[in-house]
Amino acid sequence: MDTVFDNLKVKSVAAFQFAAGRLSRLALTTGSIRTQILIFCLAMSAIAVALGGYSTLGIRHAGDLVTRTFDESLMSINYARAAGADFAAMRVASSQRLLTTDPAIHASLDKQIDELAKTLSEDLAIAADRSQSSRAANAAAKVQEAADAWMALHRIAVESSSEGSFASDTPGTSIGDVDRYSRIVSQQVELLVNYTAGDGFLFRQRALSTIRRDLQLNVAGLTLALFLSALFSWLLARRIIGPVAIASRAARRIADGDLNATIPKGGTDELGTLLGAMETMRDNIRRTVNQEVSERRSAQARLSDALESSREGVVLLDADGQIALANSRASELIHLSPQLLHSDRLDAAAPATAAIDSDSDPFASEAQLPDGRWLRVSRSETQEGGVILVYSDITTLRQQKAELHETNLRLDAALTHMSQGLCLYNSEARLQVANRRFCEIFDISPELVVPGMTMEDIFGLSIAAGNHGSCTVVDLMAERDRSLAQNEGGNYLQHLADGRIISIAQRPTTDGGWLVTCEDVTEQQRAESQIAFMARHDALTRLPNRTLLAERIELAVAQAGRGLGFAVHCLDLDNFKQVNDTLGHPVGDELLCAVADRLNACVREIDTVARLGGDEFAVIQSGLHDGAEAEHLARRMVECVGMPYELNGHRVVVGCSVGISISPGDGTSGEKLLKNADVALYRAKMEGRGTWRFFEPSMDASLQRRRAIELDLREAMAKDEFSLYYQPLYDLHLDRICGFEALLRWHHPKRGMVPPDQFIPIAEEIGLIGPLGEWVLHRACEQAVTWPGEMKLAVNVSAAQFRDSGFIDIIADALAASQLSPRRLELEITESVFLANSAETLATLHKLKAQGLRIALDDFGTGYSSLSYLRSFPFDKLKIDKSFVRDATATHGSKSIVRAVISLGRSLGMTTIAEGIETVEQLNHMRAEGCNEAQGFLFSHPVPVTEIAAKILELRNGFKTSALRNAMAS
């Protein structure tokens, strides 16, 4: 295989040398430069291909050597060693077989020896097959023969051992004979391993020799390739670059103007063709130059004749400013005024002698001669850097232009200072005059408006300025024609895209033309529209006001007559007054605008959202099919309005209540529907706020009763219909009465006893809670001063009273008038007090406590943020709401809550009192939990002041069994 590979490489090198020689000779004898370059490229490619192919064959040959090294030498050695291992295992198994007497082990060892003998034969066969020499194959055969002989001796020894008849005098049949023959087999195996290892070493030496030869041939081929590449590059430079340099030098001489330059002769290739073309080009240029010189001399003669006969003065200055040519007319003018030769400085001369004509060529100037004549001096540069000056007499033209300029100035002053835009068209509808104001109104550049334009052209410029949106010239002409047909004067309003409104008036002229005047009346129209808008809309939210709402309701009533129902929603914001009081009216106004935006987002385009005033809104829901749609809208408005607001860095949360009336069931007039929706709104607010209610006839009756209570309440104080009842406060640790809570009662002459939950909220709404609370404080202090000194007085205080800036003075007056000790007075407040203005509230509470009063937090746990209030102010007492006390003894009741409140009060040093104790079980539970005080019907119902003494005597010495029985009986 090595000989074949060597022959192939020799032939490849010979073929490469032959191809390179042929290509070189072909390149030297071929005439075309492109062909020579192609041949050189092909020769270099052939060199690269030959080197790559030869390298590929060498790499493949090296791979074959590596494969043979592993598959033959290494494999033969490994299998020879494996055969030795097999025979060693056979010897061990044979020894065990001869020494044991167990039949089962005999069978197992016999089977193992047979399998090892088979494996030994297979390993020897592979080692012989992969061996590199005949001696290794012969050694493998000898190992096999020795192994077979050993197996025969082993079987004889086994049979003799089983019969127990080993004869020491019988040769070849003893265990010793088997061992001696085993050493012979092992020697044969070692000999086989040595032979295979030696063969592998010899093969490695031959492989390394082959690789070194391949490397030498590769280096020789690479050297030859580099030499041929250098040879081809030298031939290419000699055949192409040298002739190109000769042609370049010849072309440079021609370019430098040497038309007599000698062009060398070229060959038959492209360079020869190029040199021949350059010689022809040189001859053509020389002939053209001679012809041009002749024509220029003839033209110069004709130009001289023309200049002399011209009425204009003409002067030609060269690049140095010297006169190269001048006709007689120019000589005469220059003699009168030599400065005319310097036309570029005419504008710097005195105003009496030179001026610039702004309407003419920018390269022209005007100059006045000493005799009063005016000249126009035109200046133009020549290709050689000189200047041509042309002088024209414009004296008469100057006088006419001056007169016309004065007239135009007066006309322009009149047009420019007009407040209206003006366009004058002739009988052919062509523009004659347009003033500056017209261009300003329509945002058209004055340079674009020129006399002679048609009205369509003017409309086109206005459209291009973006004044008319998607309108076309045809649309604008149609609008003009309609105005002329409808109004003889042709007055109409034109609305521009930017929102401006232009009043256009068209008047015919005596010559059949048109005078068009334009005036910007945007502000006037906006003012009129704003006045009309403000008369029917709310100034803050821009929503319809009551006037427009009434009109929309009447329109909806008319449509309802054709089968289209509608609903009226009245909305009122919850806690809006607190936002105004705490954050200020600007934030309140922003809140109203935000609510208006959310309401608009909740309704459809056919619906109407209006503001009635304050925090009251109304919605007309049109196209109503049933009440479910009205309820769906009400729910959406309540949820949307109730979401938090971010206003000037403040997070504001308000809710809303909604009252709904549906036409025609709840009324057929706007006034009736609004009234009924307002009644339903009142019911929604009375039932917890943040909800909605449909109008029901019974609501009106309830509202009438409420209004009657409101009227009677205003007269009740004057008629002395109020009184105070007192409920005992019981100390669970001392087991005796410790004070009373004052409770307001109203004895109505007709209705009897009115419950506090019916008239107290009304008193807060109509503003009577202030004077009523002041009366309670004075009356309670007057009556409590007669009690024993250890008896406390607890008085409930409304949040509205805390908002009164004179509240502290009212308490001080009540204490001073009654001479009641401040330490005996206990004010009970709810968490709603903190909602108004927590900073001012805390300041008031601290002032009251500094005077010695005790402060109790009533209904603790039923509001929100209670823990934050406890942290901000050290209350003296926490009142556990009766809702928690009532469920505290239930299996899954409020036991954990009550325990937590009592523990919280104990840790904060506050007294805890449980209100609403009605059973002994509740009392025992509160006592067991560690509550300090108790209050409820179990001890006593509220009693008038006349029964105070008896109640003190009854409970002073503890809660007796008789009292318990009486309480349970009651």
Side-chain angles (χ1 to χ4, degrees):
M1 182 176 180
D2 294 339
T3 304
V4 174
F5 184 71
D6 293 340
N7 293 334
L8 181 59
K9 290 193 288 184
V10 171
K11 292 180 180 179
S12 299
V13 173
F16 170 73
Q17 293 175 347
F18 175 75
R22 294 290 295 176
L23 288 174
S24 178
R25 287 192 295 272
L26 181 61
L28 294 174
T29 57
T30 304
S32 174
I33 294 178
R34 287 175 294 177
T35 303
Q36 294 177 24
I37 295 175
L38 177 61
I39 291 173
F40 287 143
C41 291
L42 292 176
M44 296 302 296
S45 300
I47 293 172
V49 170
L51 287 176
Y54 183 76
S55 298
T56 302
L57 292 176
I59 293 172
R60 181 178 298 174
H61 184 214
D64 292 342
L65 292 176
V66 173
T67 303
R68 290 185 59 190
T69 299
F70 177 79
D71 290 346
E72 295 180 1
S73 298
L74 297 180
M75 292 294 289
S76 178
I77 295 171
N78 290 337
Y79 277 99
R81 290 176 177 171
D86 293 339
F87 182 71
M90 290 170 65
R91 290 181 62 187
V92 174
S94 174
S95 300
Q96 294 176 353
R97 174 66 176 83
L98 295 175
L99 295 177
T100 184
T101 58
D102 188 352
I105 297 176
H106 286 173
S108 175
L109 291 174
D110 289 341
K111 182 180 180 181
Q112 181 179 357
I113 292 170
D114 292 339
E115 291 177 353
L116 290 172
K118 183 179 179 181
T119 303
L120 174 63
S121 298
E122 292 175 352
D123 292 340
L124 290 174
I126 295 175
D129 183 60
R130 299 297 178 92
S131 64
Q132 298 291 322
S133 64
S134 58
R135 62 175 183 174
N138 293 334
K142 289 179 180 181
V143 172
Q144 184 65 53
E145 291 175 1
D148 293 341
W150 181 86
M151 281 295 295
L153 289 176
H154 168 72
R155 291 190 181 95
I156 294 172
V158 168
E159 291 174 359
S160 299
S161 176
S162 60
E163 294 174 0
S165 58
F166 267 116
S168 60
D169 57 345
T170 305
T173 59
S174 65
I175 297 176
D177 294 336
V178 174
D179 290 338
R180 286 193 299 271
Y181 212 83
S182 296
R183 288 191 292 272
I184 295 173
V185 175
S186 297
Q187 292 173 356
Q188 292 295 331
V189 171
E190 289 296 327
L191 186 60
L192 174 62
V193 171
N194 292 333
Y195 285 165
T196 55
D199 291 344
F201 177 77
L202 293 176
F203 184 78
R204 173 176 172 275
Q205 293 300 109
R206 291 197 298 269
L208 291 176
S209 176
T210 302
I211 291 175
R212 282 195 298 271
R213 186 173 63 254
D214 289 343
L215 288 175
Q216 293 172 356
L217 291 175
N218 279 327
V219 171
L222 179 59
T223 303
L224 179 60
L226 293 175
F227 172 74
L228 292 177
S229 298
L231 177 61
F232 290 158
S233 299
W234 178 77
L235 291 175
L236 185 63
R238 181 180 178 185
R239 297 285 294 176
I240 298 176
I241 299 176
V244 168
I246 296 173
S248 298
R249 287 194 296 271
R252 171 58 59 189
R253 292 180 64 186
I254 296 174
D256 292 339
D258 186 5
L259 299 181
N260 297 319
T262 302
I263 305 298
K265 298 296 182 180
T268 59
D269 55 8
E270 289 89 340
L271 285 174
T273 304
L274 176 61
L275 292 173
M278 290 174 60
E279 184 177 7
T280 303
M281 179 179 62
R282 181 201 60 186
D283 297 339
N284 291 336
I285 293 173
R286 186 161 51 194
R287 186 169 49 255
T288 302
V289 168
N290 294 332
Q291 183 179 356
E292 183 178 353
V293 170
S294 176
E295 291 177 354
R296 184 173 297 180
R297 289 173 179 171
S298 176
Q300 187 174 3
R302 290 194 296 271
L303 176 61
S304 178
D305 294 340
L307 290 176
E308 288 301 324
S309 60
S310 174
R311 297 179 57 188
E312 310 292 336
V314 180
V315 176
L316 174 61
L317 302 178
D318 59 18
D320 298 329
Q322 301 299 321
I323 299 177
L325 177 65
N327 62 356
S328 57
R329 178 64 171 169
S331 300
E332 175 190 352
L333 297 175
I334 293 172
H335 179 70
L336 294 175
S337 179
Q339 65 181 8
L340 292 178
L341 288 177
H342 306 287
S343 62
D344 55 338
R345 302 192 191 96
L346 288 179
D347 54 343
T353 60
I356 301 296
D357 185 2
S358 60
D359 296 333
S360 60
D361 189 347
F363 294 100
S365 303
E366 292 182 358
Q368 188 175 23
L369 296 176
D371 58 3
R373 289 181 297 166
W374 281 92
L375 298 179
R376 178 186 295 274
V377 183
S378 298
R379 179 180 182 274
S380 60
E381 297 182 355
T382 64
Q383 295 180 355
E384 293 79 9
V387 177
I388 298 178
L389 300 176
V390 179
Y391 307 101
S392 304
D393 191 341
I394 57 169
T395 304
T396 303
L397 179 61
R398 181 84 181 195
Q399 293 174 353
Q400 294 174 351
K401 290 180 63 176
E403 295 173 359
L404 180 61
H405 180 66
E406 291 295 330
T407 303
N408 289 337
L409 286 178
R410 290 190 292 269
L411 178 60
D412 288 344
L415 295 177
T416 301
H417 292 87
M418 288 181 62
S419 61
Q420 297 175 325
L422 179 143
C423 285
L424 178 63
Y425 295 90
N426 60 18
S427 58
E428 298 178 356
R430 295 284 180 177
L431 180 67
Q432 290 182 309
V433 176
N435 68 347
R436 177 185 55 81
R437 180 58 181 159
F438 174 81
C439 297
E440 292 177 352
I441 291 176
F442 291 98
D443 195 20
I444 301 174
S445 175
E447 290 78 9
L448 300 178
V449 181
V450 296
M453 300 180 69
T454 63
M455 186 173 292
E456 289 84 351
D457 297 334
I458 297 296
F459 284 154
L461 293 176
S462 183
I463 292 174
N467 293 320
H468 306 285
S470 59
C471 291
T472 63
V473 173
V474 176
D475 298 333
L476 297 180
M477 291 298 296
E479 181 183 16
R480 172 182 176 273
D481 295 340
R482 285 194 301 271
S483 68
L484 290 174
Q486 296 172 2
N487 189 349
E488 182 178 355
N491 295 340
Y492 67 99
L493 296 178
Q494 190 174 74
H495 295 264
L496 303 186
D498 59 1
R500 290 182 297 144
I501 303 174
I502 307 302
S503 175
I504 300 178
Q506 303 181 99
R507 301 288 186 274
T509 59
T510 56
D511 60 352
W514 284 93
L515 178 64
V516 180
T517 58
C518 308
E519 184 178 5
D520 190 341
V521 295
T522 305
E523 294 302 326
Q524 176 184 345
Q525 292 291 319
R526 286 178 180 173
E528 294 175 357
S529 300
Q530 185 68 14
I531 292 172
F533 181 85
M534 294 304 297
R536 298 155 62 86
H537 290 79
D538 176 56
L540 176 63
T541 62
R542 317 296 289 178
L543 294 177
N545 58 11
R546 286 184 178 271
T547 302
L548 183 55
L549 179 67
E551 296 176 4
R552 297 279 176 87
I553 293 179
E554 294 302 327
L555 178 61
V557 169
Q559 294 177 345
R562 297 193 292 269
L564 299 175
F566 70 96
V568 176
H569 301 254
C570 281
L571 295 87
D572 185 83
L573 300 183
D574 301 330
N575 302 320
F576 175 73
K577 188 175 186 303
Q578 296 178 0
V579 175
N580 270 341
D581 293 342
T582 57
L583 301 179
H585 289 280
V587 175
D589 291 343
E590 287 190 34
L591 176 60
L592 291 175
C593 294
V595 170
D597 293 338
R598 292 190 181 184
L599 292 177
N600 276 323
C602 291
V603 302
R604 303 163 298 174
E605 292 184 358
I606 61 174
D607 301 330
T608 300
V609 179
R611 183 189 178 200
L612 303 180
D615 60 342
E616 299 179 4
F617 296 85
V619 175
I620 303 175
Q621 185 181 7
S622 305
L624 193 69
H625 295 88
D626 52 33
E629 294 181 2
E631 183 177 9
H632 178 71
L633 175 58
R635 178 184 293 108
R636 188 165 65 248
M637 290 190 295
V638 169
E639 293 174 353
C640 187
V641 172
M643 296 176 66
Y645 301 81
E646 295 292 338
L647 305 173
N648 284 345
H650 300 282
R651 185 177 179 86
V652 179
V653 179
V654 296
C656 75
S657 303
V658 183
I660 310 171
S661 62
I662 300 178
S663 176
D666 297 334
T668 56
S669 66
E671 182 180 357
K672 183 69 173 176
L673 288 170
L674 277 174
K675 175 188 174 184
N676 291 340
D678 191 57
V679 170
L681 171 62
Y682 175 76
R683 174 59 61 86
K685 297 180 68 173
M686 291 294 294
E687 293 183 359
R689 301 175 180 266
T691 185
W692 60 91
R693 291 292 180 267
F694 286 91
F695 172 76
E696 298 174 1
S698 59
M699 292 181 181
D700 195 20
S702 175
L703 181 60
Q704 296 300 329
R705 289 194 297 271
R706 179 190 179 282
R707 289 175 178 170
I709 292 176
E710 180 181 333
L711 294 175
D712 293 342
L713 190 61
R714 295 183 182 276
E715 300 177 359
M717 289 192 65
K719 296 180 179 180
D720 197 20
E721 296 177 357
F722 293 104
S723 62
L724 292 179
Y725 274 52
Y726 297 90
Q727 188 172 30
L729 306 177
Y730 196 82
D731 191 321
L732 297 180
H733 293 332
L734 300 177
D735 199 20
R736 67 180 183 182
I737 188 172
C738 61
F740 291 90
E741 179 182 1
L743 302 172
L744 183 63
R745 294 293 184 265
W746 181 19
H747 297 274
H748 193 275
K750 295 181 180 179
R751 298 185 180 89
M753 188 70 73
V754 181
D757 58 353
Q758 290 187 9
F759 71 87
I760 291 296
I762 297 177
E764 291 180 343
E765 291 182 12
I766 64 177
L768 286 180
I769 194 65
L772 191 57
E774 183 177 358
W775 179 86
V776 169
L777 280 170
H778 280 272
R779 181 62 60 89
C781 291
E782 290 173 1
Q783 295 175 352
V785 76
T786 61
W787 304 344
E790 70 274 10
M791 293 292 106
K792 298 180 294 185
L793 171 63
V795 179
N796 289 284
V797 179
S798 170
Q801 292 176 262
F802 261 84
R803 290 194 291 269
D804 187 354
S805 58
F807 178 64
I808 296 178
D809 296 333
I810 292 174
I811 293 179
D813 292 343
L815 293 174
S818 63
Q819 298 299 313
L820 181 69
S821 174
R823 64 180 181 81
R824 296 179 58 190
L825 181 59
E826 189 174 275
L827 301 181
E828 294 186 1
I829 64 173
T830 61
E831 296 170 348
S832 60
V833 171
F834 291 91
L835 297 178
N837 191 328
S838 58
E840 294 183 3
T841 299
L842 288 175
T844 301
L845 289 174
H846 282 289
K847 291 179 181 178
L848 293 174
K849 193 164 185 178
Q851 295 178 5
L853 280 74
R854 293 171 55 84
I855 309 297
L857 183 59
D858 197 6
D859 299 335
F860 178 71
T862 59
Y864 52 89
S865 301
S866 301
L867 296 180
S868 67
Y869 301 149
L870 296 181
R871 183 182 62 182
S872 59
F873 182 78
F875 289 95
D876 297 288
K877 180 184 290 186
L878 295 179
K879 295 194 71 173
I880 305 175
D881 189 71
K882 58 186 177 181
S883 62
F884 298 137
V885 174
R886 181 174 55 251
D887 297 336
T889 57
T891 303
H892 300 288
S894 305
K895 182 182 300 183
S896 299
I897 298 177
V898 171
R899 182 176 302 158
V901 173
I902 295 173
S903 176
L904 179 63
R906 186 185 303 113
S907 63
L908 295 176
M910 300 178 185
T911 302
T912 53
I913 179 172
E915 60 178 349
I917 300 291
E918 298 181 358
T919 66
V920 176
E921 183 182 6
Q922 294 173 351
L923 175 63
N924 293 334
H925 179 75
M926 292 301 158
R927 193 192 303 272
E929 292 292 343
C931 188
N932 303 108
E933 298 177 1
Q935 175 185 1
F937 292 166
L938 180 64
F939 302 101
S940 173
H941 284 71
V943 297
V945 67
T946 56
E947 300 180 16
I948 289 292
K951 190 60 64 176
I952 292 175
L953 292 175
E954 178 183 344
L955 298 176
R956 168 171 284 182
N957 296 323
F959 190 55
K960 304 301 183 182
T961 306
S962 58
L964 175 60
R965 284 197 299 269
N966 294 336
M968 295 178 65
S970 62

